[in-house]
Amino acid sequence: YFELGDIGAVGENFQPYLEYNVEYLWFWVGSLEYTYENAILSAEYTRYFGIFESNLHPIVAHSSLNQEAFYIQLSYRLSDFLQVAAYYSVQYDPESRDGTNTDKYAQNLDNPGDLEAYYSAWMKDTSISLRFDINDYWLIKLEGHFIDGTARVYEALNKDNPYLERYWTLFGAKTTLTF
């Protein structure tokens, strides 16, 4: 934090200890899972709302959270080596699921002002995956995501592109070792 003082971002009395005061927090989850032979069907719905205040404002901003989300997933184990899965998930701004709240979302991106793009009110993700169980302690998973919206994409990580593409794809690979 000394560097922040050197550039004038914080005063002499700056305390580098972060505290969040939770003004209000409401969170609940409902989930289901059904297994039949090699198939698993699962679904979940979540709703959460919270208001948080930081003692380091404006360095760590006050924030609020208001989200609604659900998913449904089907996976099937083809063999001891291979499992396939697909899911569809949605996250909404419950106050404007379609992005038409003109106080918060810009409908015309040619002249948005300080508003977010209308498609940042949701994120709808359709995914397919392949899981390869190499042995009892090592697996590899490949995923493809086809996404509409940017609700879960953080602006702070995309400063050079304030209006991200509405439709985008994500391909991922991961490996897990258990020991």
Side-chain angles (χ1 to χ4, degrees), residues 24-27 47-52 63-67 91:
Y24 180 81
L25 183 62
W26 182 68
F27 178 83
R47 179 75 174 92
Y48 33 103
F49 178 82
I51 298 173
F52 311 93
S63 63
S64 64
L65 179 67
N66 188 8
Q67 297 176 345
Q91 179 171 328

Side-chain angles (χ1 to χ4, degrees), residues 38-49:
N38 291 337
I40 301 172
L41 176 65
S42 56
E44 186 170 279
Y45 174 84
T46 62
R47 179 75 174 92
Y48 33 103
F49 178 82

Side-chain angles (χ1 to χ4, degrees), residues 20-168:
Y20 260 112
N21 181 28
V22 179
E23 293 290 318
Y24 180 81
L25 183 62
W26 182 68
F27 178 83
W28 67 272
V29 177
S31 58
L32 299 167
E33 183 173 291
Y34 178 74
T35 303
Y36 179 76
E37 295 181 0
N38 291 337
I40 301 172
L41 176 65
S42 56
E44 186 170 279
Y45 174 84
T46 62
R47 179 75 174 92
Y48 33 103
F49 178 82
I51 298 173
F52 311 93
E53 291 185 359
S54 162
N55 68 320
L56 297 181
H57 183 75
I59 295 170
V60 177
H62 300 316
S63 63
S64 64
L65 179 67
N66 188 8
Q67 297 176 345
E68 176 181 31
F70 70 87
Y71 78 86
I72 186 165
Q73 175 177 293
L74 177 63
S75 63
Y76 189 81
R77 180 155 293 281
L78 296 170
S79 69
D80 289 341
F81 174 73
L82 180 62
Q83 179 176 323
V84 297
Y87 78 75
Y88 179 71
S89 70
V90 176
Q91 179 171 328
Y92 288 117
D93 173 349
E95 295 174 352
S96 185
R97 289 181 176 191
D98 57 1
T100 56
N101 177 345
T102 56
D103 292 332
K104 188 172 183 180
Y105 300 107
Q107 306 303 307
N108 178 0
L109 298 182
D110 293 330
N111 187 17
D114 292 331
L115 302 176
E116 298 178 53
Y118 67 95
Y119 50 81
S120 66
W122 68 82
M123 191 160 113
K124 302 171 185 176
D125 180 0
T126 303
S127 174
I128 55 173
S129 67
L130 296 172
R131 173 180 159 161
F132 303 93
D133 289 81
I134 306 302
N135 53 38
D136 289 342
Y137 55 89
W138 180 28
L139 71 87
I140 297 173
K141 191 171 184 184
L142 304 174
E143 296 185 0
H145 297 260
F146 307 94
I147 302 167
D148 172 10
T150 59
R152 290 185 186 164
V153 179
Y154 296 105
E155 292 176 18
L157 299 176
N158 294 282
K159 293 177 183 176
D160 295 336
N161 192 0
Y163 293 102
L164 303 169
E165 296 292 325
R166 176 179 172 178
Y167 300 102
W168 51 289

